[in-house]
């Protein structure tokens, strides 16, 4: 965790971020070498589960409907609302980080270009917020949710829509 956190902090604190950006592009470019037609379809599908937090919204609704899990659903609802405001309204506009595909325009995108900023990853933040809410509510679903959250985070890198620090930054805070 320390190396990732150091990289994240260095990116934020460095004057120009050139060294960290270089490392981040090396990581992203390496991930591009892993592409296959099957993996492309899987990663696009996984990332779609995180679009507007849909998988977590559905899970929250299900938990709210079931009386036995209503408290957990309420915790998730509040956590996701706070996360949405903090991540997508405040932090994205505060950092205003350009997406990697806007810097490296040679990459062939598998998903449509996004119209918001890169840092932090909303998909990843919502995912780890849901995992944290489940974990702290002592719900057994936190384990499969963690696996899905990690897959969603990796998909954002695979699809070249986020830098590694966009994904790792808030993930580490949730852990």
């Amino acid at each position: 965790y320390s190396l990732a956190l150091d990289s994240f902090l260095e990116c934020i604190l460095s004057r120009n971020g050139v060294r960290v950006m270089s490392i981040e592009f090396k990581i992203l470019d390496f991930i591009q070498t892993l592409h296959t037609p099957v993996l492309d379809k899987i990663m696009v599908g996984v990332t779609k589960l995180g679009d507007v937090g849909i998988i977590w919204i559905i899970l929250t609704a299900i938990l709210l409907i079931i009386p036995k899990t209503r408290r957990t659903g309420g915790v998730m609802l509040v956590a996701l609302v706070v996360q949405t405001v903090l991540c997508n309204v405040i932090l994205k506009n505060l950092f205003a980080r350009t997406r990697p595909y806007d810097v490296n325009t040679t990459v062939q995108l598998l998903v449509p270009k996004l119209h918001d900023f890169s840092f932090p990853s909303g998909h990843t933040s919502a995912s780890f917020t849901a995992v944290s809410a489940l974990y702290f509510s002592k719900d057994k679903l936190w384990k499969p949710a963690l696996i899905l959250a990690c897959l969603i985070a990796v998909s954002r890198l695979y699809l070249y829509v986020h830098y590694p620090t966009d994904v790792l930054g808030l993930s580490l805070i949730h852990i």
Side-chain angles (χ1 to χ4, degrees):
Y1 298 118
S2 179
L3 178 61
L5 185 58
D6 289 347
S7 176
F8 171 68
L9 292 174
E10 184 179 353
C11 179
I12 291 172
L13 299 174
S14 81
R15 242 183 227 170
N16 56 19
V18 171
R19 193 178 91 169
V20 173
M21 292 288 283
S22 173
I23 293 167
E24 292 198 278
F25 277 112
K26 285 179 183 175
I27 293 168
L28 288 173
D29 292 341
F30 169 74
I31 292 170
Q32 293 303 294
T33 68
L34 305 175
H35 279 248
T36 67
V38 171
L39 201 49
D40 289 355
K41 286 184 186 342
I42 290 169
M43 289 299 182
V44 168
V46 166
T47 219
K48 283 183 180 180
L49 291 173
D51 286 355
V52 299
I54 193 65
I55 190 71
W56 310 118
I57 293 168
I58 291 169
L59 179 58
T60 299
I62 292 169
L63 292 171
L64 286 169
I65 290 169
I66 302 168
K68 185 176 163 184
T69 59
R70 199 164 284 149
R71 183 182 176 283
T72 300
V75 170
M76 278 188 61
L77 177 64
V78 170
L80 288 169
V81 168
V82 169
Q83 174 274 327
T84 299
V85 171
L86 183 64
C87 177
N88 294 337
V89 177
I90 297 171
L91 292 177
K92 277 191 185 275
N93 292 310
L94 179 68
F95 287 99
R97 190 176 195 195
T98 305
R99 292 196 178 264
Y101 58 73
D102 287 326
V103 176
N104 180 0
T105 57
T106 63
V107 172
Q108 193 77 358
L109 291 179
L110 300 174
V111 293
K113 284 189 172 190
L114 302 164
H115 302 292
D116 62 351
F117 295 113
S118 188
F119 180 85
S121 168
H123 283 68
T124 304
S125 181
S127 298
F128 281 92
T129 295
V131 170
S132 297
L134 290 166
Y135 177 81
F136 289 114
S137 295
K138 297 179 179 28
D139 191 302
K140 291 182 231 173
L141 287 175
W142 78 267
K143 290 177 184 177
L146 178 61
I147 293 167
L148 180 58
C150 290
L151 287 171
I152 289 172
V154 168
S155 77
R156 305 308 285 164
L157 301 174
Y158 184 92
L159 297 171
Y160 219 88
V161 295
H162 283 289
Y163 298 96
T165 51
D166 296 345
V167 168
L168 286 174
L170 290 179
S171 303
L172 293 174
I173 291 169
H174 289 289
I175 293 171

